[in-house]
Amino acid sequence: MAQKSRADIRKGVHTRIRKKVRGTAERPRLAVYRSLNHIYAQVIDDVNGKTLANASTTEKAFDGKTGGNIEAARAVGKSVAERAVAAGISSVVFDRGGYVYHGRVKALIDAAREGGLNQEEVSAGDAQQEGNNE
């Protein structure tokens, strides 16, 4: 039996994630795709099949030299958060796309939180952390 490639394994993980993660009009899905040289993020309403906001390192407005690093992922995260907030979206469901929550994917999602998405998660996490320190 032939071994699966890394891409095939990621697709399987992504399929399992997508069985559980569903974007709605009230809380759309923030999908992340990471290639070797670029990173992409889309805010998607799965019920209506519409992309509400997007950002990537392939845009002309992107001023970075490369899209394959953590700084570029942070810039894309902030950009997609600004566009989503401008579209009236404050809460999303994160879809890491089968990638490990580490490195560029983590940087993008953390920057999206700093940019204004899922502020109730951040404040709840801070309150829980303060309770553990006492």
Side-chain angles (χ1 to χ4, degrees), residues 32-110:
V32 176
Y33 177 73
R34 173 183 66 111
S35 69
L36 189 64
N37 294 322
H38 296 286
I39 193 158
Y40 309 82
Q42 289 184 326
V43 178
I44 305 166
D45 176 6
D46 289 319
V47 174
N48 298 320
K50 302 267 185 203
T51 298
L52 307 172
N54 66 345
S56 74
T57 55
T58 60
E59 297 171 354
K60 285 188 177 184
F62 181 70
D63 58 350
K65 294 180 181 171
T66 181
N69 57 27
I70 290 176
E71 291 81 25
R74 283 191 191 113
V76 170
K78 285 204 184 267
S79 179
V80 76
E82 289 170 2
R83 293 173 188 180
V85 169
I89 300 161
S90 61
S91 181
V92 296
V93 178
F94 293 113
D95 175 9
R96 57 187 174 89
Y99 303 106
V100 176
Y101 182 74
H102 180 73
R104 289 191 286 158
V105 174
K106 183 177 187 295
L108 187 144
I109 292 174
D110 288 345

Side-chain angles (χ1 to χ4, degrees), residues 7-19 96-99:
D8 290 336
I9 292 169
R10 185 196 70 81
K11 286 178 186 174
V13 171
H14 184 56
T15 302
R16 285 195 302 274
I17 290 170
R18 287 288 289 122
K19 286 180 184 177
R96 57 187 174 89
Y99 303 106

